[in-house]
Amino acid sequence: MQSIHIPFKEHFFNESERADIFAGQGRVFKCLLGDETVYVKKSERTKRHFWHVLQGGLYKVFKDPLLIPTVLGKDEDDIQFQVDKMRRLKKNGIKVPDVVFVDKGYFIMSDCGECVKEYLKLNPRQTDLVLNKACREMAKLHLKNFVHGGAQIKNFVIRKGVVSLIDFEEKIDTKFIEAFKVRDMLVFLLSLERGGFQTDIKRLCQIYHDITHKDIYADLKKFFKKYKWISFLNHKIFDFLSMKDVRALLNLMNRFNG
Ligand SMILES: Nc1ncnc2c1ncn2[C@@H]1O[C@H](COP(=O)(O)OP(=O)(O)O)[C@@H](O)[C@H]1O
Ligand SMILES: [Mg+2]
């Protein structure tokens, strides 16, 4: 692990030191700040990925908020956006990393542990317990009228039994908050399906309901009913695409429609 020397709080790095420190590192990396482990996250101007483009197209056809692409505007500062959101969430009692330092092009946050996805691969017997905690944290987020926008299991981390949410890059128009709550849960469950986690969906929806009083199971069921037609994607003709995501979606759909 890289050790970063910070002589004085206000002067984390001068420009030349920073270039050296960041050289060869990925966009997000763990390092030592003094004797504390922290994560550095660098800016990435949001690209319009294939999925965003596809989603945009689908939205135009179906006018379903669940399909609205979530991207920051051209001139928006992605670092400031994430930092502001994390600070607001923290104030609202949601478990997110502490923002330690912000500078142009990057920010530093506290280390909130291991990625839940990796953690559960090593500790499969804790699957239900940890997923319950993750689900509860997301429900708390929704109860406060925030949404995540990318609630895959890889964006949950765990440290000393505490599950936190990370990675707040998605900008969501406030008028779509309710629809995005459903989408968060959908993305979460889909990532579990995709990751091969065996867990009881109804139990997770119940945990969510206990906190938010929102019948997310019924909402998801409605969603899958609406999009039942996409099961045509399962046809052999699409095999060459090796669409793991599509198959995960169809499996999940079958669980709701079954
Ligand atoms: N504060 C943190 N505590 C622990 N792990 C983190 C933290 N921030 C990032 N990570 C790790 O780095 C990975 C990538 O960070 P993330 O913010 O999700 O960026 P990306 O936009 O690349 O998905 C995460 O999946 C997680 O494993
Ligand atoms: Mg991430």
Side-chain angles (χ1 to χ4, degrees), residues 120 123-132 197-199 203:
L120 289 181
N123 305 279
R125 293 168 80 179
Q126 288 186 44
T127 301
D128 286 350
L129 179 80
V130 173
L131 292 181
N132 288 358
F197 294 105
Q198 300 297 325
T199 192
R203 187 197 74 243

Side-chain angles (χ1 to χ4, degrees), residues 27-30 37-42 44 82 86 96-98 107-116 118 148 153-159 164-169:
R27 195 168 67 91
V28 185
F29 59 94
K30 193 177 183 176
T37 60
V38 291
Y39 271 83
V40 176
K41 187 164 184 177
K42 292 193 255 178
E44 181 187 61
Q82 287 178 71
M86 284 165 74
V96 294
D98 288 313
F107 70 101
I108 302 179
M109 60 188 143
S110 62
D111 176 9
C112 287
E114 276 175 81
C115 178
V116 164
E118 305 309 319
H148 190 288
I153 192 63
K154 66 173 187 200
N155 287 329
F156 290 79
V157 290
I158 180 164
R159 184 180 199 178
S164 305
L165 286 159
I166 57 161
D167 198 0
F168 296 95
E169 283 172 35

Side-chain angles (χ1 to χ4, degrees), residues 8 30 66 116 146 180 211 213 234:
F8 191 62
K30 193 177 183 176
L66 291 178
V116 164
F146 291 102
F180 263 82
I211 293 173
H213 304 293
N234 211 6

Side-chain angles (χ1 to χ4, degrees), residues 77-253:
D77 181 339
D78 61 330
I79 293 297
Q80 204 52 51
F81 176 82
Q82 287 178 71
V83 164
D84 289 346
K85 184 154 181 184
M86 284 165 74
R87 285 179 171 155
R88 259 184 297 142
L89 294 180
K90 191 109 216 163
K91 271 197 199 132
N92 278 278
I94 313 296
K95 294 188 186 91
V96 294
D98 288 313
V99 176
V100 178
F101 184 73
V102 191
D103 202 351
K104 212 163 179 276
Y106 74 95
F107 70 101
I108 302 179
M109 60 188 143
S110 62
D111 176 9
C112 287
E114 276 175 81
C115 178
V116 164
K117 192 178 173 191
E118 305 309 319
Y119 178 85
L120 289 181
K121 277 185 196 156
L122 299 173
N123 305 279
R125 293 168 80 179
Q126 288 186 44
T127 301
D128 286 350
L129 179 80
V130 173
L131 292 181
N132 288 358
K133 284 185 184 174
C135 189
R136 220 171 271 138
E137 211 48 38
M138 190 163 64
K140 272 169 59 191
L141 180 86
H142 289 181
L143 183 66
K144 298 274 181 178
N145 264 329
F146 291 102
V147 283
H148 190 288
Q152 298 92 329
I153 192 63
K154 66 173 187 200
N155 287 329
F156 290 79
V157 290
I158 180 164
R159 184 180 199 178
K160 294 182 184 159
V162 176
V163 174
S164 305
L165 286 159
I166 57 161
D167 198 0
F168 296 95
E169 283 172 35
E170 308 287 352
K171 188 175 185 183
I172 295 115
D173 194 323
T174 46
K175 66 175 184 271
F176 297 126
I177 292 286
E178 286 309 312
F180 263 82
K181 289 177 181 175
V182 184
R183 177 171 141 162
D184 268 359
M185 193 63 168
L186 175 69
V187 166
F188 178 65
L189 294 177
L190 210 50
S191 73
L192 299 182
E193 187 69 42
R194 177 90 154 78
F197 294 105
Q198 300 297 325
T199 192
D200 182 351
I201 288 171
K202 277 198 172 149
R203 187 197 74 243
L204 292 176
C205 289
Q206 185 58 48
I207 287 173
Y208 182 94
H209 181 261
D210 290 346
I211 293 173
T212 60
H213 304 293
K214 185 175 164 70
D215 191 351
I216 199 88
Y217 190 83
D219 290 342
L220 286 168
K221 215 171 154 65
K222 214 159 76 193
F223 171 83
F224 281 120
K225 205 168 165 204
K226 185 170 170 191
Y227 289 101
K228 209 164 178 218
W229 59 269
I230 62 160
S231 36
F232 81 88
L233 287 173
N234 211 6
H235 196 275
K236 269 210 158 2
I237 205 165
F238 288 97
D239 273 0
F240 72 96
L241 284 174
S242 145
M243 297 179 296
K244 268 192 163 178
D245 289 319
V246 174
R247 295 211 192 292
L249 181 70
L250 292 169
N251 287 345
L252 193 62
M253 180 184 270

